[in-house]
């Protein structure tokens, strides 16, 4: 839910958001892709730290806790999260959770 909320928050009003779910090789994969403001490479290195906000997100409401909480939940589930992003071209977050 947080990834979808972020995709909406950081995209233009008429921006397109894609959500893709699949089960492959014993893993659930959920990908949320937007065409929003994107995240710089420098900020991507700190994105999952508590209270971190990307430099280009300072005028958008948020606490910087959502991605940190997601990463901690995924640790408990032996899951992973991946990001692909480019400034002004959007972001894609993929969550991978083993099915036990």
């Amino acid at each position: 839910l947080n990834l979808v909320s972020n995709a909406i928050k950081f995209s233009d009003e008429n921006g397109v958001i894609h959500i893709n779910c699949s089960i492959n090789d014993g893993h659930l994969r959920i990908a949320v892709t937007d065409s929003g403001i994107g995240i710089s490479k420098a900020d991507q290195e700190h994105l999952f730290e508590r209270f971190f906000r990307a430099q280009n997100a300072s005028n958008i409401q948020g606490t910087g806790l959502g991605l940190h909480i997601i990463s901690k939940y995924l640790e408990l589930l032996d899951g992973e999260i991946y990001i692909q992003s480019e400034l002004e071209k959007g972001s894609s977050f993929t969550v991978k959770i083993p099915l036990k």
Side-chain angles (χ1 to χ4, degrees):
L1 185 58
N2 178 266
L3 294 177
V4 174
S5 174
N6 282 352
I8 293 168
K9 185 174 11 176
F10 292 103
S11 293
D12 292 334
E13 184 175 331
N14 295 316
V16 175
I17 297 167
H18 296 276
I19 302 169
N20 186 322
C21 300
S22 64
I23 295 176
N24 294 328
D25 301 324
H27 290 86
L28 169 65
R29 293 176 196 261
I30 303 169
V32 178
T33 304
D34 65 55
S35 56
I37 63 174
I39 304 161
S40 72
K41 294 290 183 193
D43 284 344
Q44 288 179 40
E45 294 179 23
H46 303 283
L47 205 53
F48 300 101
E49 295 174 8
R50 191 173 11 169
F51 300 115
F52 179 80
R53 300 286 317 261
Q55 287 185 354
N56 62 338
S58 60
N59 63 337
I60 299 172
Q61 186 177 5
T63 62
L65 283 174
L67 292 175
H68 174 73
I69 292 170
I70 289 172
S71 69
K72 293 301 177 187
Y73 278 140
L74 288 169
E75 281 181 28
L76 294 171
L77 296 170
D78 293 324
E80 302 171 54
I81 187 166
Y82 307 96
I83 179 175
Q84 291 181 308
S85 186
E86 191 174 335
L87 284 173
E88 303 302 326
K89 294 189 178 181
S91 302
S92 181
F93 287 86
T94 302
V95 171
K96 180 180 170 184
I97 303 169
L99 298 173
K100 296 180 180 181

